[in-house]
Structures are given as C-alpha cells and as structure tokens.
Amino acid sequence: METEKMLLALSEGGALAENELREVLAVLESAESKDFACGPSVDDVYECLLVLGKTKLSQYRRIIEKFLEAEDALTVALVLETLCLRWELTAEYLEQVISFALGAPWDKDEDVRQTALKILGEYMYANRREAALVPAALPKSKLHLLHVLDLLRSVFADEEAQQWTRQSAYYA
C-alpha cells in the first residue's frame, strides 16, 4: 500500500480511489486497537488513520474510534484530532476528550492530554456565545461548557503538570 502517494494526492485536493479506500479500511479493521499484538504494525495503522482522516469521510468514524483505546499516545492523539478537529464531531466525543484532558497514566509525555486540551479550547471557541451566557439558571445543556472552562483553568493552575500541558490549557 502506498500511503505516501495517497496522502500527497489528498493534500493536493484529490480523492482516494475505491480500491485505495478499501485497502486503508481493511488495515484498520484488522488491527487490534489495544496493543497491536496481532495484525498490522503501529506505523501502518497510524498511516492509514492519517489517510482516512484527510478524506473527511466521517461515516467511517466507528472504524477509527476504537483506536481511542489504543494506549499509544500518537495514535490516540491522531484519532482525537481526526474525530474532533477535522471531522468536527467534538460534541459526540466530549466525555472522552474531557477524560483525556484529565490525563491518562500511559500518556507519559502528555501528548494526548495536550491534544485534548486543544480540542476543548476549539470547542469553547465554537460555543463562545453560549459560554458567555452566565445567568443564574443556566440551561442544563450549557453546564458542560462551564465544566470545560473549569477543567481548563484547573490544568493551567496545576503546577505539577508539564509546562507544555499548562501552556496548552492557557491557549485553550
């Protein structure tokens, strides 16, 4: 499979051929999301996730969302970026994004955490008009915006968090 050629074609505004899409989907469907013990390598999966993410074919989100359980920081960060930033599905994955923003024990360099914080910042920006509403009785649907804002503030204030993580929370 020539993922580099696919990525180049996609970045130039092209599309995947049907057989290329089938190849990418076959690799992703055959991969074990937890530990990559069987099937394609982490690198092959990552490249296929990158290709599929650039296609904007969000109807395949169920195929890639299983990789949110991968416990591989770069893979999970890419899946979060694809689902939430490229395909604009943050509202559907908000609980998972918040969970990753709180930190995962296997995310040693906090790559996933920083990605999640960035996503939360984008989410807050997209909903900024609603977030600005702070009446005494805020509608229940808006309470999650306050929760996200509190989370971002607490990460920024956490002096034990890595510098880049705190900076991500600040920018968010």
Side-chain angles (χ1 to χ4, degrees), residues 19-79:
N19 65 319
E20 291 174 324
L21 179 59
R22 278 195 306 271
E23 283 183 82
V24 167
L25 293 173
V27 169
L28 295 175
E29 288 172 335
S30 69
E32 293 294 327
S33 63
K34 195 71 169 165
D35 59 9
F36 300 102
C38 302
S41 71
V42 170
D43 293 338
D44 290 340
V45 168
Y46 188 88
E47 288 175 359
C48 288
L49 288 168
L50 194 57
V51 168
L52 188 59
K54 290 193 178 282
T55 65
K56 308 275 189 199
L57 297 173
S58 61
Q59 67 265 32
Y60 297 111
R61 69 181 186 196
R62 300 291 181 234
I63 293 173
I64 71 166
E65 72 184 5
K66 71 179 181 180
F67 294 100
L68 290 173
E69 301 173 6
E71 294 189 11
D72 176 74
L74 296 178
T75 300
V76 173
L78 176 60
V79 171

Side-chain angles (χ1 to χ4, degrees), residues 105-119:
W106 46 264
D107 185 23
K108 301 296 182 208
D109 294 327
E110 297 189 347
D111 295 318
V112 175
R113 189 174 191 197
Q114 291 170 33
T115 300
L117 291 168
K118 177 182 177 181
I119 291 166

Side-chain angles (χ1 to χ4, degrees), residues 122-135 138-139 142 145:
E122 294 290 328
Y123 181 74
M124 290 295 294
Y125 182 76
N127 292 283
R128 65 190 175 278
R129 292 175 197 228
E130 295 173 15
L133 300 174
V134 190
L138 196 63
K142 309 303 185 255
L145 295 172

Side-chain angles (χ1 to χ4, degrees), residues 107-111 113-114 155 158-168:
D107 185 23
K108 301 296 182 208
D109 294 327
E110 297 189 347
D111 295 318
R113 189 174 191 197
Q114 291 170 33
V155 171
D158 182 3
E159 294 181 8
E160 292 184 21
Q162 292 182 12
Q163 175 187 354
W164 293 110
T165 301
R166 292 182 69 211
Q167 189 174 23
S168 296

Side-chain angles (χ1 to χ4, degrees), residues 86-104:
R86 288 193 185 128
W87 293 354
E88 300 177 353
L89 300 171
T90 303
E92 295 177 43
Y93 294 93
L94 190 58
E95 284 184 36
Q96 289 167 297
V97 174
I98 289 171
S99 176
F100 285 125
L102 292 170

